[in-house]
Amino acid sequence: MKRVKWSEIGMGALFFLYGLSGVADGELYNRGVLIPCPRYFGAALMLFGVAIPVMAWFLRSPSRKRKDEEK
């Protein structure tokens, strides 16, 4: 059993790259509308992109399942 699926890694990479483009360019759009504070929003997207696979790995860890089964 894999702890992190390829789809979660891909989704995290897309969020990270989209956030990186907002931080680098200083412009970020959602459906054609400019997002206010694109550098902060881009940094938050980058953090979210890293957090997705990390949280998936943590939530599927074997030690966590053993603790849940004891209760």
Side-chain angles (χ1 to χ4, degrees):
M1 177 178 90
K2 292 185 180 181
R3 287 193 194 176
V4 182
K5 297 178 183 177
W6 285 108
S7 60
E8 294 162 343
I9 293 171
M11 187 170 35
L14 286 176
F15 274 114
F16 185 83
L17 292 174
Y18 188 61
L20 183 64
S21 72
V23 170
D25 295 342
E27 288 186 357
L28 207 57
Y29 294 93
N30 183 20
R31 297 183 183 132
V33 178
L34 184 65
I35 294 175
C37 303
R39 295 195 193 275
Y40 294 122
F41 190 74
L45 283 176
M46 289 172 60
L47 182 66
F48 186 65
V50 171
I52 289 173
V54 171
M55 288 301 297
W57 176 80
F58 175 74
L59 291 173
R60 291 189 185 111
S61 65
S63 63
R64 184 171 172 82
K65 289 188 179 188
R66 276 188 244 123
K67 288 179 185 176
D68 291 341
E69 290 172 359
E70 291 175 1
K71 292 183 180 180

